[in-house]
Amino acid sequence: MLAARRSITALTRHRCNIALRGLATQTALDSKDTEPSRINLCTAVNDALQIALENNKRALVFGEDVSFGGVFRCTAGLQQRFGKDRVFNTPLSEQGIVGFGIGAAASGYTAIAEIQFADYIYPAFDQIVNEASKYRYRSGGEFNCGGLTIRAPYGAVGHGGHYHSQSPESFFTHIPGIKVVVAGGPADAKGLLLSAIQDPDPVVFFEPKMMYRTAVEDVHKGEYTIPLGKAKLKRQGTDITLVGWGQQVAVLEKAAQVCQDTFDISCEVIDLRTLLPWDVTAVGKPCCSGLPCNNSHM
């Protein structure tokens, strides 16, 4: 398979330096220990990718600048470990990245595509909506591109401006034939990403870039998966249900604590984790019991 490659531009190098300034990059690539260790979300994603590449010789990782680790260093060390034919750069074309991924997945590869910022996923919208999501249906089940996973860092950081701060996940939650997942922490990011890569449907996987290094928790280094379509109860409550996903869940947890301490209001907090298909039972149960429900979107 021919891999499209290009040199690192000065702008790309500048953006990478900004992302790395003052931040140490953790790595779990060479660890054989299955005991949990405290790592950040970036390292959890990196670990999931190396497990996928190690266990599946037909897995590919590709996108803009992934060969040297990408802007956020989520793919650091992967090309050195698995080679230039399996981890490689692409041209600056989101439509081309996803189109290539669809073709590779339809040909039997496990295609893990990276969109450098979710803000730039829009040129690939047609490929995702009209090609990836419909591939199985339009062929009567004869063909599919279920081996496709599209990773995209999303959300605000504080200095990204209007082209590096968007949260476009809602655009994709109305499209039958794909799944939409948003990680909310390191442990979930690793387990959900491995599930997405193994899922029989194409998955758009959003990663909150603000949490790449700010979110740190115990994560098992071995392989594990978290079922898609299952929400996570983050906090018990009896007065109101707060529903969110991604980095907004941390905001909801803080708000719930303020409500408890200041107003003696008990808030239940639910992390959807998967937006399509979303966990109707987890959200519907408290609502059916009479609790008001508030949804918070960043």
Short mmCIF file of all heavy atoms in Angstrom, two decimals, residues 74-108:
data_model
loop_
_atom_site.label_atom_id
_atom_site.label_comp_id
_atom_site.label_asym_id
_atom_site.label_seq_id
_atom_site.Cartn_x
_atom_site.Cartn_y
_atom_site.Cartn_z
N CYS A 74 -0.42 12.41 20.41
CA CYS A 74 -1.17 11.17 20.69
C CYS A 74 -0.62 9.98 19.91
O CYS A 74 -0.86 8.83 20.30
CB CYS A 74 -2.65 11.37 20.36
SG CYS A 74 -3.52 12.44 21.52
N THR A 75 0.09 10.23 18.82
CA THR A 75 0.64 9.12 18.02
C THR A 75 2.16 9.04 18.16
O THR A 75 2.82 8.40 17.33
CB THR A 75 0.25 9.29 16.54
OG1 THR A 75 0.71 10.57 16.06
CG2 THR A 75 -1.25 9.19 16.36
N ALA A 76 2.71 9.65 19.19
CA ALA A 76 4.16 9.65 19.39
C ALA A 76 4.71 8.23 19.51
O ALA A 76 4.16 7.40 20.23
CB ALA A 76 4.52 10.45 20.65
N GLY A 77 5.76 7.94 18.77
CA GLY A 77 6.44 6.66 18.85
C GLY A 77 5.83 5.53 18.04
O GLY A 77 6.43 4.46 17.90
N LEU A 78 4.66 5.76 17.46
CA LEU A 78 3.98 4.66 16.76
C LEU A 78 4.67 4.31 15.44
O LEU A 78 4.81 3.13 15.10
CB LEU A 78 2.51 5.02 16.51
CG LEU A 78 1.64 5.21 17.75
CD1 LEU A 78 0.20 5.50 17.34
CD2 LEU A 78 1.69 3.98 18.66
N GLN A 79 5.10 5.32 14.67
CA GLN A 79 5.75 5.01 13.41
C GLN A 79 7.08 4.30 13.63
O GLN A 79 7.43 3.36 12.91
CB GLN A 79 5.97 6.28 12.58
CG GLN A 79 6.48 5.96 11.18
CD GLN A 79 6.72 7.20 10.35
OE1 GLN A 79 7.77 7.84 10.45
NE2 GLN A 79 5.75 7.55 9.52
N GLN A 80 7.81 4.73 14.66
CA GLN A 80 9.08 4.08 14.95
C GLN A 80 8.87 2.62 15.33
O GLN A 80 9.70 1.77 15.02
CB GLN A 80 9.79 4.81 16.10
CG GLN A 80 10.31 6.19 15.73
CD GLN A 80 9.26 7.27 15.89
OE1 GLN A 80 8.06 6.98 15.90
NE2 GLN A 80 9.71 8.51 16.04
N ARG A 81 7.78 2.33 15.97
CA ARG A 81 7.53 0.97 16.43
C ARG A 81 6.93 0.08 15.34
O ARG A 81 7.30 -1.09 15.21
CB ARG A 81 6.60 1.00 17.66
CG ARG A 81 6.35 -0.36 18.30
CD ARG A 81 5.38 -0.24 19.46
NE ARG A 81 5.11 -1.53 20.07
CZ ARG A 81 5.66 -1.97 21.19
NH1 ARG A 81 6.52 -1.21 21.83
NH2 ARG A 81 5.36 -3.15 21.67
N PHE A 82 6.01 0.65 14.55
CA PHE A 82 5.26 -0.18 13.61
C PHE A 82 5.56 0.10 12.14
O PHE A 82 5.04 -0.60 11.27
CB PHE A 82 3.75 -0.01 13.87
CG PHE A 82 3.33 -0.44 15.24
CD1 PHE A 82 3.11 0.49 16.23
CD2 PHE A 82 3.20 -1.78 15.56
CE1 PHE A 82 2.73 0.11 17.51
CE2 PHE A 82 2.83 -2.19 16.83
CZ PHE A 82 2.60 -1.24 17.82
N GLY A 83 6.38 1.08 11.86
CA GLY A 83 6.82 1.29 10.49
C GLY A 83 6.02 2.31 9.72
O GLY A 83 4.89 2.64 10.06
N LYS A 84 6.65 2.81 8.63
CA LYS A 84 6.07 3.87 7.83
C LYS A 84 4.92 3.40 6.95
O LYS A 84 4.17 4.23 6.43
CB LYS A 84 7.15 4.50 6.96
CG LYS A 84 8.25 5.19 7.76
CD LYS A 84 9.28 5.81 6.85
CE LYS A 84 10.36 6.53 7.65
NZ LYS A 84 11.39 7.14 6.77
N ASP A 85 4.78 2.10 6.75
CA ASP A 85 3.67 1.61 5.94
C ASP A 85 2.38 1.47 6.73
O ASP A 85 1.31 1.29 6.14
CB ASP A 85 4.03 0.25 5.34
CG ASP A 85 5.11 0.35 4.28
OD1 ASP A 85 5.21 1.42 3.64
OD2 ASP A 85 5.87 -0.62 4.10
N ARG A 86 2.48 1.55 8.07
CA ARG A 86 1.28 1.39 8.89
C ARG A 86 0.93 2.66 9.66
O ARG A 86 -0.21 2.81 10.10
CB ARG A 86 1.46 0.22 9.87
CG ARG A 86 1.68 -1.11 9.17
CD ARG A 86 1.75 -2.24 10.17
NE ARG A 86 0.50 -2.36 10.92
CZ ARG A 86 0.40 -2.98 12.07
NH1 ARG A 86 1.47 -3.49 12.65
NH2 ARG A 86 -0.77 -3.07 12.67
N VAL A 87 1.87 3.54 9.85
CA VAL A 87 1.63 4.83 10.51
C VAL A 87 2.25 5.90 9.62
O VAL A 87 3.47 5.99 9.50
CB VAL A 87 2.26 4.87 11.93
CG1 VAL A 87 1.96 6.20 12.60
CG2 VAL A 87 1.75 3.71 12.78
N PHE A 88 1.42 6.72 9.01
CA PHE A 88 1.96 7.63 8.00
C PHE A 88 1.14 8.92 7.88
O PHE A 88 -0.03 8.98 8.26
CB PHE A 88 2.01 6.93 6.63
CG PHE A 88 0.73 6.25 6.23
CD1 PHE A 88 -0.27 6.95 5.57
CD2 PHE A 88 0.54 4.90 6.50
CE1 PHE A 88 -1.44 6.31 5.18
CE2 PHE A 88 -0.62 4.26 6.12
CZ PHE A 88 -1.63 4.96 5.47
N ASN A 89 1.83 9.93 7.36
CA ASN A 89 1.21 11.23 7.13
C ASN A 89 0.34 11.20 5.88
O ASN A 89 0.56 10.40 4.96
CB ASN A 89 2.27 12.32 6.96
CG ASN A 89 3.01 12.62 8.25
OD1 ASN A 89 2.54 12.30 9.33
ND2 ASN A 89 4.17 13.24 8.12
N THR A 90 -0.61 12.12 5.84
CA THR A 90 -1.45 12.31 4.67
C THR A 90 -1.35 13.76 4.22
O THR A 90 -0.88 14.62 4.97
CB THR A 90 -2.93 12.01 4.98
OG1 THR A 90 -3.40 12.99 5.92
CG2 THR A 90 -3.10 10.62 5.57
N PRO A 91 -1.80 14.06 3.01
CA PRO A 91 -1.90 15.48 2.61
C PRO A 91 -2.92 16.22 3.48
O PRO A 91 -3.71 15.60 4.20
CB PRO A 91 -2.38 15.39 1.15
CG PRO A 91 -2.00 14.02 0.70
CD PRO A 91 -2.13 13.15 1.92
N LEU A 92 -2.90 17.54 3.39
CA LEU A 92 -3.84 18.37 4.15
C LEU A 92 -5.19 18.35 3.46
O LEU A 92 -5.61 19.31 2.80
CB LEU A 92 -3.32 19.80 4.25
CG LEU A 92 -2.05 20.00 5.08
CD1 LEU A 92 -1.55 21.41 4.95
CD2 LEU A 92 -2.32 19.67 6.54
N SER A 93 -5.90 17.24 3.62
CA SER A 93 -7.20 17.08 2.96
C SER A 93 -8.06 16.16 3.82
O SER A 93 -7.92 14.93 3.76
CB SER A 93 -7.03 16.49 1.55
OG SER A 93 -8.29 16.14 1.00
N GLU A 94 -8.94 16.75 4.60
CA GLU A 94 -9.80 15.93 5.47
C GLU A 94 -10.72 15.03 4.65
O GLU A 94 -10.98 13.88 5.03
CB GLU A 94 -10.61 16.83 6.40
CG GLU A 94 -9.80 17.47 7.52
CD GLU A 94 -8.94 18.62 7.06
OE1 GLU A 94 -9.18 19.14 5.93
OE2 GLU A 94 -8.02 19.03 7.80
N GLN A 95 -11.22 15.54 3.55
CA GLN A 95 -12.04 14.72 2.67
C GLN A 95 -11.24 13.53 2.16
O GLN A 95 -11.74 12.40 2.11
CB GLN A 95 -12.56 15.55 1.50
CG GLN A 95 -13.50 14.77 0.57
CD GLN A 95 -13.97 15.62 -0.59
OE1 GLN A 95 -13.27 16.54 -1.00
NE2 GLN A 95 -15.15 15.32 -1.12
N GLY A 96 -9.98 13.77 1.79
CA GLY A 96 -9.13 12.69 1.31
C GLY A 96 -8.77 11.70 2.40
O GLY A 96 -8.71 10.49 2.16
N ILE A 97 -8.55 12.19 3.62
CA ILE A 97 -8.22 11.31 4.74
C ILE A 97 -9.35 10.32 4.99
O ILE A 97 -9.14 9.10 5.09
CB ILE A 97 -7.94 12.13 6.01
CG1 ILE A 97 -6.64 12.93 5.85
CG2 ILE A 97 -7.86 11.23 7.25
CD1 ILE A 97 -6.42 13.95 6.94
N VAL A 98 -10.56 10.83 5.10
CA VAL A 98 -11.71 9.96 5.37
C VAL A 98 -12.03 9.10 4.16
O VAL A 98 -12.36 7.91 4.31
CB VAL A 98 -12.93 10.80 5.80
CG1 VAL A 98 -14.16 9.90 5.97
CG2 VAL A 98 -12.64 11.52 7.11
N GLY A 99 -11.92 9.66 2.96
CA GLY A 99 -12.17 8.86 1.75
C GLY A 99 -11.21 7.69 1.65
O GLY A 99 -11.61 6.57 1.32
N PHE A 100 -9.94 7.96 1.92
CA PHE A 100 -8.95 6.88 1.94
C PHE A 100 -9.30 5.85 3.01
O PHE A 100 -9.20 4.64 2.78
CB PHE A 100 -7.56 7.45 2.21
CG PHE A 100 -6.51 6.40 2.43
CD1 PHE A 100 -5.91 5.75 1.36
CD2 PHE A 100 -6.12 6.04 3.72
CE1 PHE A 100 -4.93 4.77 1.57
CE2 PHE A 100 -5.17 5.06 3.94
CZ PHE A 100 -4.57 4.42 2.86
N GLY A 101 -9.72 6.32 4.19
CA GLY A 101 -10.08 5.41 5.27
C GLY A 101 -11.25 4.51 4.91
O GLY A 101 -11.27 3.32 5.24
N ILE A 102 -12.24 5.07 4.22
CA ILE A 102 -13.38 4.28 3.77
C ILE A 102 -12.93 3.19 2.82
O ILE A 102 -13.31 2.01 2.94
CB ILE A 102 -14.44 5.19 3.10
CG1 ILE A 102 -15.07 6.12 4.13
CG2 ILE A 102 -15.52 4.34 2.42
CD1 ILE A 102 -15.93 7.20 3.52
N GLY A 103 -12.09 3.56 1.85
CA GLY A 103 -11.60 2.56 0.90
C GLY A 103 -10.76 1.49 1.56
O GLY A 103 -10.89 0.31 1.24
N ALA A 104 -9.90 1.90 2.48
CA ALA A 104 -9.06 0.93 3.18
C ALA A 104 -9.91 -0.03 4.01
O ALA A 104 -9.69 -1.25 4.01
CB ALA A 104 -8.04 1.65 4.06
N ALA A 105 -10.90 0.53 4.74
CA ALA A 105 -11.76 -0.32 5.57
C ALA A 105 -12.59 -1.27 4.71
O ALA A 105 -12.78 -2.43 5.07
CB ALA A 105 -12.67 0.56 6.43
N ALA A 106 -13.08 -0.78 3.57
CA ALA A 106 -13.86 -1.64 2.67
C ALA A 106 -13.00 -2.74 2.07
O ALA A 106 -13.52 -3.77 1.64
CB ALA A 106 -14.49 -0.80 1.56
N SER A 107 -11.68 -2.53 2.06
CA SER A 107 -10.76 -3.53 1.52
C SER A 107 -10.23 -4.48 2.58
O SER A 107 -9.35 -5.30 2.30
CB SER A 107 -9.58 -2.82 0.83
OG SER A 107 -10.04 -1.99 -0.22
N GLY A 108 -10.73 -4.35 3.80
CA GLY A 108 -10.36 -5.29 4.84
C GLY A 108 -9.36 -4.78 5.86
O GLY A 108 -8.96 -5.52 6.76
#
